[in-house]
Amino acid sequence: MIAHSGVLWSLAAETEVVVHKLMVLYPEPADPDHFRDYYVSTHLPLVTRMPGLLAWRYSFEVAATQGQTPYFAVFEAEFADAAAMTAARASPQGKQVTADVANYATGGAVVIHYPVQDGTC
């Protein structure tokens, strides 16, 4: 229970795993213009062919709340669960996506994944 403005709020187990998310964080590349052009015209069309992909998003407008951001771009992909994400990455399409990263991400890439909990207020 959390007290806020005299009201007690319960954060009891009212959460449920709704998707499994894959996130890619891209540090600054050597050639930002090449990254943007290649990413949109070549890499993202490869991503859309991955089996089991439910949704995807990206941004080149990454900012930090304080100081300099360590990332140039961010990508999110959603799958039904961890098994679906693993199968997608192991598929021929997923292997092609992974191999393609070296063609634009000269600054490297940080890949993380996690189950997303859905909370209610």
Side-chain angles (χ1 to χ4, degrees), residues 22-77:
L22 172 83
M23 181 177 285
V24 184
L25 303 166
Y26 295 101
E28 185 80 27
D31 185 346
D33 290 333
H34 170 72
F35 183 111
R36 283 186 197 93
D37 292 342
Y38 188 93
Y39 194 75
V40 172
S41 66
T42 303
H43 189 71
L44 289 176
L46 295 176
V47 169
T48 63
R49 297 185 356 220
M50 291 177 70
L53 182 65
L54 300 176
W56 57 274
R57 295 165 196 82
Y58 74 96
S59 179
F60 298 131
E61 306 293 325
V62 180
T65 57
Q66 294 182 357
Q68 195 80 340
T69 181
Y71 301 110
F72 169 77
V74 62
F75 171 82
E76 301 175 358

Side-chain angles (χ1 to χ4, degrees), residues 6 21 27 59 67 79 91 99:
K21 191 169 284 199
S59 179
F79 298 90
S91 71

